[in-house]
Amino acid sequence: MTTSSADISPNYQEYLRRLPKVELHCHVEGTLRPATVVELATKHGVALPTTDVDEVYRYSTIYEFLEIYQRVNSTVIDREDFARIAYETLEDGVKLGNLKYREMFFNPTLHTARGIPMATVIDGLIDGSKAAEHDFGVRCAFIADVYRQDPPEVARQMVEEVLAHRRPELIGLGMDAAEAPDPPEKFVEAYRVAKAAGLRLTSHCAEDGPASNVTTCLDLLGCQRLDHGYHILEDPAVVARCRDEGISFTVCPTSTAVVYGWPDLTTHPITKMIDAGLQVMLNSDDPTMFHTDIGTEYVRFCGQNNYSPALVRRLVLQGVEASWLADVEKATMRRAFEAEIDKLDRELLG
């Protein structure tokens, strides 16, 4: 029988939510609070289908979702807007899931194509992350994402422009949007430029594309970790390679349950990835748009799968290991996480 979140003891729900967490797969454009969307739309005179905050993120198909995604982002225009959305999502992560560190995606061309200067985007996001670090103790770095539906030359130009405005908090290059029509090999040049400049590399991969895209991302793009990766299960040889090489996958239960029709989290491909020995860590993807948060991801996924505290601890610590922090920082964070989890074990599990 499938366990629902409501069947989990209150103590274990609290435990899962209060675990210290790293998040490596979260798109800032998908984190706007509904009330913020309405306020920014009013500020800039942007028309929305509704100003009812309870209806802003109501959709029934992926196409409606994408339409809302674009409309929401059209409300973010000046440096203060970008600072606000970065600050608010980090605040939400801390308060709803004890977030300690995040490496957060943003899509530069979704903004520069609207006439927003690259410096406005980058500087605003970093302003907000620094304010959140000061107020809540949460740290954040940023990953610029190639938007797959852009032509390859636009992606390369984006990387060059990002590098021209690079700041220490901007640490990596990723890739998102619809994978099937625009496979990773189209963007080798953009990744070559990023790698030469010392950016770390990841990509959404085998999300709605084949397992062979995993090999492409590793061998042609030079990715050091991968986002999603569910269709890797279709090729045991690729699974074995990634298990043996310790490739980390940043997986997202709720968003993919909605988009890809895997509503039963006990049979979600993530469970099979864990069973196969792959290194996975949990994330919220586009939390407000999918009506979730990083704490809820742990409560839903780990709770419904009856995962033991030992397994949950492993998932948490795999997040630390998969991060792009320096080795000494990882070691320090791991020790702090272990101590905090030990305390939660005593307090909530007895």
Side-chain angles (χ1 to χ4, degrees):
M1 182 177 68
T2 300
T3 302
S4 73
S5 298
D7 296 326
I8 307 163
S9 74
N11 272 17
Y12 202 42
Q13 288 193 48
E14 183 180 354
Y15 177 85
L16 293 169
R17 192 171 289 279
R18 286 175 55 189
L19 287 166
K21 298 176 184 71
V22 163
E23 186 166 30
L24 307 177
H25 189 149
C26 182
H27 302 263
V28 70
E29 293 92 352
T31 69
L32 277 69
R33 297 171 180 171
T36 298
V37 174
V38 173
E39 290 177 20
L40 291 180
T42 301
K43 172 183 174 181
H44 296 296
V46 175
L48 295 175
T50 178
T51 57
D52 182 343
V53 294
D54 294 326
E55 298 293 324
V56 168
Y57 290 133
R58 191 174 298 279
Y59 52 87
S60 56
T61 69
I62 184 59
Y63 304 104
E64 292 176 5
F65 168 85
L66 293 172
E67 182 179 344
I68 292 170
Y69 191 86
Q70 292 183 333
R71 186 68 62 92
V72 163
N73 280 286
S74 71
T75 69
V76 186
I77 294 175
D78 58 35
R79 180 169 174 168
E80 292 73 22
D81 298 341
F82 286 96
R84 177 178 179 176
I85 66 173
Y87 180 93
E88 290 182 348
T89 182
L90 292 168
E91 179 184 18
D92 291 344
V94 171
K95 292 184 175 179
L96 299 173
N98 197 15
L99 181 68
K100 301 293 188 181
Y101 175 72
R102 179 186 281 169
E103 292 171 4
M104 187 154 59
F105 296 123
F106 70 105
N107 276 109
T109 60
L110 291 183
H111 308 296
T112 56
R114 299 186 286 118
I116 311 298
M118 183 71 76
T120 296
V121 180
I122 294 174
D123 291 344
L125 292 174
I126 292 173
D127 288 348
S129 70
K130 288 299 183 185
E133 182 176 2
H134 177 271
D135 290 351
F136 309 112
V138 61
R139 296 172 59 195
C140 184
F142 291 93
I143 302 168
D145 261 4
V146 169
Y147 189 70
R148 277 191 146 102
Q149 277 60 73
D150 287 339
E153 61 271 19
V154 171
R156 179 185 54 78
Q157 291 166 4
M158 179 275 286
V159 173
E160 292 173 345
E161 191 174 359
V162 162
L163 292 171
H165 295 86
R166 187 176 180 184
R167 293 178 56 181
E169 296 84 358
L170 205 162
I171 62 170
L173 182 73
M175 179 158 50
D176 61 18
E179 178 185 10
D182 291 289
E185 57 265 27
K186 291 182 61 174
F187 301 98
V188 169
E189 183 62 16
Y191 274 73
R192 183 195 65 77
V193 173
K195 182 177 182 179
L199 290 179
R200 307 299 294 268
L201 305 175
T202 186
S203 177
H204 287 42
C205 171
E207 176 188 10
D208 61 341
S212 59
N213 283 358
V214 170
T215 303
T216 300
C217 286
L218 295 175
D219 294 341
L220 295 186
L221 301 190
C223 289
Q224 295 144 315
R225 70 175 185 237
L226 298 171
D227 309 307
H228 292 303
Y230 315 111
H231 290 280
I232 190 176
L233 296 167
E234 297 167 2
D235 191 327
V238 181
V239 171
R241 174 188 173 179
C242 289
R243 180 181 60 243
D244 294 345
E245 294 182 8
I247 302 299
S248 294
F249 291 83
T250 71
V251 299
C252 307
T254 296
S255 67
T256 52
V258 173
V259 173
Y260 299 114
W262 297 318
D264 183 352
L265 294 181
T266 67
T267 59
H268 194 291
I270 296 170
T271 63
K272 300 175 180 65
M273 294 171 75
I274 293 171
D275 291 344
L278 294 172
Q279 302 295 307
V280 307
M281 47 87 58
L282 303 181
N283 306 268
S284 64
D285 206 352
D286 301 291
T288 54
M289 298 195 74
F290 287 105
H291 310 286
T292 188
D293 57 72
I294 187 59
T296 297
E297 293 298 292
Y298 274 78
V299 171
R300 286 176 179 164
F301 185 76
C302 299
Q304 290 181 31
N305 281 290
N306 293 311
Y307 282 172
S308 68
L311 176 51
V312 174
R313 179 187 290 244
R314 193 177 88 204
L315 295 177
V316 167
L317 296 177
Q318 283 173 183
V320 177
E321 294 306 312
S323 75
W324 288 333
L325 290 165
D327 287 344
V328 65
E329 292 179 289
K330 285 186 186 182
T332 299
M333 182 176 287
R334 184 184 183 96
R335 286 194 297 270
F337 275 33
E338 291 268 24
E340 190 167 347
I341 297 170
D342 287 344
K343 183 178 178 182
L344 286 172
D345 285 350
R346 295 190 296 270
E347 178 182 345
L348 294 172
L349 302 184

